Amino acid sequence: MMYENLPDLLTRKETQKVLCISKNTILNLIHAKKLPAIIIGGRLKIRKDDLIDFIDNSLYWGNH
């Protein structure tokens, strides 16, 4: 994935697109404190660095 094209702060919808997940799934990740988010102007925002960390720490290599 090319992270340099992402904005420094992503909306919930932008983050959903990057991860290819539903609104409910992303909200569950945020509420479970697995994906950090901040509220700005009443809207959830996800820092690009936090998203990259989440992706890097969620890698699954299977049972090899």
Side-chain angles (χ1 to χ4, degrees):
M1 160 128 335
M2 301 304 253
Y3 301 122
E4 56 271 355
N5 293 332
L6 296 175
D8 290 334
L9 278 178
L10 291 91
T11 65
R12 174 191 48 81
K13 286 184 180 182
E14 289 170 329
T15 305
Q16 281 175 234
K17 279 187 174 182
V18 171
L19 296 175
C20 299
I21 59 176
S22 71
K23 177 181 176 181
N24 287 339
T25 301
I26 196 159
L27 291 176
N28 288 339
L29 289 170
I30 292 168
H31 289 292
K33 300 185 191 262
K34 293 181 180 180
L35 178 61
I38 56 176
I39 297 175
I40 298 176
R43 302 210 183 262
L44 284 172
K45 300 286 185 173
I46 294 88
R47 291 178 347 128
K48 175 170 67 172
D49 291 341
D50 289 334
L51 176 60
I52 293 169
D53 287 344
F54 174 79
I55 293 169
D56 289 345
N57 291 323
S58 297
L59 293 177
Y60 176 73
W61 296 103
N63 296 324
H64 294 289

